[in-house]
Amino acid sequence: MLRLRSASFPFVDAADRGERAPFPSPRSPAARKEMPSLANPPSLRPPPPPPRPGLSAPLDNVGRWRRTIGLVLTRPRSLPSILAVGKEITETVEIASAEASNGSVSGKKNVMMSTVGNSTNILWHECPVGKLERQNLLKQKGCVIWITGLSGSGKSTLACALSRELYSRGYLTYVLDGDNLRHGLNRDLGFKAEDRAENIRRVGELAKLFADAGVICIASLISPYRRDRDGCRALLPDSTFIEVFMNVPLEVCEARDPKGLYKLARAGKIKGFTGIDDPYEPPLDCEIIIEAKAGACPSPPAMAEQVISYLNKNGFLQA
């Protein structure tokens, strides 16, 4: 017989009042002991497996049949101390995999754990879809076209004209513009020598990923220091880094001054401005040079066509 007690506990049975109930309360220990589990009757429950050495699978009260299944990492010695940024060391680490079916160790394999800069105990994971598959899908070869030159030399103009022309011919490109990247990825960097170096390093690593994706990546940056540009070249396989030098004289760039920066630099309001009080180191062995002919700078379509001719000749526009 049921009776209302309160709004919080509306139903109370006889067992809760201490009376003799015609049948055990479903919440009483006796009832729970007598009521069999319909989901897993005692006759169908498997016997508990014997403990096996080497498995981190102790039985507990929460789940009697639960095991810890996954990778057991053993490292015989600690990794060496952190190295300088850019250097990589590797160490062979033994991995034992436990089978989910019976918890037995199925086999061991050696993997190479790395320390790169300040990152320790990292492992490079390969994907079954690689660069060649992506290039076949896009019907082009991934590369980095690195456009360098003074401010006002026409780097961004060439980058946009080249991207537009390749797009019209059915090729996938992406432009990494120096100013655009400083709005986000490199917003924490200034224009000191060390910040400029880090700026170029980050863009080089990003451009490398685009090229690995099979994309024709067009990077447009002043990148004044030869050492930094050579460091980006070293990130990519041979011939996939195409350096384009905008060989436009300083007086022409200053006469253009599209952003008004040369005027500010001459007035001393901008310090460390490339070409005024900070050096620009021209490439020594670049793939393409864009320069004035008969005293006239080439048009954007003409500059783009010069780069596209190089890409065609060297097989970048075929898978």
Side-chain angles (χ1 to χ4, degrees):
M1 180 175 180
L2 302 178
R3 179 183 300 172
L4 277 177
R5 175 183 289 178
S6 66
S8 300
F9 303 92
F11 299 106
V12 181
D13 58 26
D16 290 329
R17 299 194 307 270
E19 302 173 8
R20 182 182 179 87
F23 54 85
S25 167
R27 287 178 291 179
S28 66
R32 287 198 297 268
K33 186 173 182 180
E34 293 172 9
M35 294 173 66
S37 171
L38 298 179
N40 197 9
S43 60
L44 299 180
R45 293 174 186 169
R52 306 178 71 90
L55 288 176
S56 55
L59 296 177
D60 54 38
N61 294 327
V62 177
R64 295 186 62 197
W65 319 114
R66 185 175 66 190
R67 281 190 179 85
T68 301
I69 299 171
L71 296 179
V72 182
L73 179 64
T74 59
R75 190 173 59 197
R77 59 185 177 87
S78 60
L79 287 172
S81 58
I82 296 173
L83 300 182
V85 173
K87 295 185 178 180
E88 178 176 346
I89 57 103
T90 57
E91 179 184 15
T92 301
V93 179
E94 188 178 88
I95 299 290
S97 62
E99 287 183 350
S101 59
N102 57 13
S104 64
V105 175
S106 61
K108 298 179 179 179
K109 63 179 181 178
N110 292 330
V111 297
M112 301 301 291
M113 303 295 285
S114 301
T115 294
V116 183
N118 293 332
S119 299
T120 60
N121 300 333
I122 56 177
L123 176 66
W124 184 271
H125 291 274
E126 291 291 347
C127 180
V129 178
K131 182 178 182 179
L132 291 178
E133 288 78 13
R134 292 187 286 269
Q135 292 182 153
N136 289 332
L137 179 67
L138 296 172
K139 296 180 173 55
Q140 64 185 47
K141 288 185 174 67
C143 63
V144 173
I145 301 171
W146 192 280
I147 306 173
T148 177
L150 293 170
S151 177
S153 61
K155 299 181 301 298
S156 296
T157 300
L158 170 58
C160 292
L162 178 59
S163 178
R164 182 168 54 248
E165 185 59 33
L166 286 171
Y167 171 79
S168 68
R169 303 186 189 189
Y171 298 103
L172 181 62
T173 68
Y174 195 87
V175 175
L176 299 176
D177 182 84
D179 279 5
N180 291 356
L181 290 167
R182 284 184 178 271
H183 279 78
L185 177 66
N186 295 335
R187 65 189 303 173
D188 59 322
L189 301 176
F191 290 91
K192 297 182 294 184
E194 55 269 27
D195 282 355
R196 286 178 180 266
E198 175 61 14
N199 177 57
I200 300 305
R201 187 196 69 80
R202 291 183 191 178
V203 179
E205 291 285 358
L206 182 57
K208 174 185 174 182
L209 295 177
F210 273 103
D212 186 64
V215 175
I216 298 172
C217 180
I218 306 169
S220 169
L221 303 97
I222 294 175
S223 46
Y225 306 135
R226 194 177 298 124
R227 177 190 65 252
D228 298 333
R229 297 193 303 267
D230 289 345
C232 293
R233 181 185 292 272
L235 291 173
L236 287 105
D238 293 340
S239 78
T240 58
F241 185 90
I242 304 163
E243 191 172 20
V244 180
F245 175 36
M246 304 297 294
N247 188 15
V248 180
L250 174 62
E251 55 271 19
V252 175
C253 297
E254 191 169 357
R256 292 175 176 173
D257 200 10
K259 305 174 187 176
L261 299 178
Y262 282 101
K263 184 178 180 180
L264 294 174
R266 292 294 187 187
K269 296 180 179 180
I270 296 179
K271 300 296 184 183
F273 190 77
T274 303
I276 303 300
D277 56 353
D278 201 70
Y280 177 81
E281 301 171 354
L284 299 178
D285 190 22
C286 60
E287 283 73 16
I288 301 172
I289 299 178
I290 306 290
E291 57 188 348
K293 295 181 180 178
C297 293
S299 65
M303 294 189 296
E305 192 58 43
Q306 185 176 344
V307 178
I308 291 174
S309 296
Y310 179 91
L311 296 176
N312 254 326
K313 181 180 177 181
N314 291 274
F316 289 103
L317 302 184
Q318 298 85 34

